[in-house]
Amino acid sequence: MMEDLFSGTQESTAAGTLPAGVMLLPGFALALAPQLLEDVARMAIASPPRRMQTPGGHWTSVNMSNCGEVGWVSDRRGYRYEATDPLTGEPWPALPAPWLALAKQAAEHAGFADFMPDACLVNHYAVGTRMGLHQDRDERDFSAPIVSVSLGLPVVFQFGGATRSAPVMRIPLEHGDVIVWGGPARRHYHGVLTLKPGVHPATGAHRINLTFRKAQ
Ligand code: MD6
Ligand code: FE
């Protein structure tokens, strides 16, 4: 039924061929997007998105929160996963069943059967914010992929290689797009360029990114 959304597009973009282990599923989350955004708004009341301090003393430009059994946090002591929100002392909001189903379906499309995420990082980008090149390496098991859902304003996703200095490829991501990322690319450097001014009907002047992980 959704075959036409994927045929021939998942492994190449205007930027070229994606590295092994990375699969773009254009529009895969479009049908669920209104529900996802409603849930994000509800979660923002329980566990407000906030900038996090890095071990180096800088602050993220992006506002971050989580849902799931554990959530990704950063402060002067380092990066890690925690079962409670340090802002409230309460557990993170639960990972909603439709979110879990979406992540599992996307992973399966990309060839990762039995993906069972226990954490979802919810990033709120305002115009002018960005995410510098980084590796996702705070999870216990790198055999599990990451499923990333983009909502709202478009952005240019960057990804490079196993070292910070490797060449970087640029991939435009739009509302409803999903990227599944694993295997040989799992620890590759990546980031997003500065969010350009704009207004999206679903999110206004923002982009929301959900990244599902198996953290523990
Ligand atoms: C973002 N995403 O798209 C930031 N990490 O806003 C990530 O940092 C990311 O999309 C690992 C795998 C997929 C991702
Ligand atoms: Fe990342």
Side-chain angles (χ1 to χ4, degrees):
M1 173 192 116
M2 297 181 81
E3 213 50 44
D4 53 326
L5 283 176
F6 310 123
S7 47
T9 57
Q10 68 268 47
E11 279 165 348
S12 63
T13 68
T17 303
L18 299 182
V22 180
M23 187 173 283
L24 177 61
L25 304 173
F28 195 89
L30 258 188
L32 196 61
Q35 180 70 58
L36 295 172
L37 289 168
E38 192 183 311
D39 292 338
V40 167
R42 174 176 51 79
M43 289 172 190
I45 296 169
S47 271
R50 83 298 306 255
R51 298 172 73 186
M52 292 195 194
Q53 198 169 25
T54 66
H58 298 285
W59 292 85
T60 62
S61 70
V62 175
N63 285 313
M64 313 176 107
S65 191
N66 292 275
C67 63
E69 284 165 41
V70 290
W72 185 88
V73 298
S74 175
D75 59 20
R76 291 304 300 248
R77 290 186 289 139
Y79 307 133
R80 63 198 175 275
Y81 284 90
E82 294 266 8
T84 55
D85 178 348
L87 209 57
T88 64
E90 298 292 325
W92 300 101
L95 189 60
W99 293 37
L100 186 61
L102 174 76
K104 290 172 69 75
Q105 279 166 22
E108 196 160 333
H109 263 279
F112 298 95
D114 305 319
F115 179 47
M116 190 46 90
D118 54 15
C120 181
L121 179 61
V122 180
N123 284 337
H124 295 242
Y125 292 79
V127 167
T129 63
R130 60 189 288 273
M131 171 104 39
L133 280 183
H134 66 277
Q135 295 172 292
D136 289 18
R137 56 176 188 195
D138 304 310
E139 300 75 28
R140 208 163 280 165
D141 176 6
F142 296 119
S143 67
I146 293 177
V147 171
S148 167
V149 178
S150 290
L151 299 167
L153 286 179
V155 79
V156 176
F157 194 76
Q158 290 193 296
F159 64 82
T163 62
R164 190 178 285 282
S165 57
V168 169
M169 185 179 159
R170 296 182 169 193
I171 298 180
L173 292 179
E174 295 189 7
H175 179 66
D177 287 354
V178 176
I179 282 199
V180 182
W181 176 301
R186 179 62 180 73
R187 269 169 288 181
H188 281 197
Y189 280 86
H190 58 279
V192 302
L193 297 184
T194 303
L195 194 69
K196 294 226 174 93
V199 178
H200 190 279
T203 60
H206 291 87
R207 169 177 183 262
I208 307 289
N209 178 253
L210 316 176
T211 49
F212 297 84
R213 298 103 187 279
K214 176 151 186 58
Q216 313 188 89

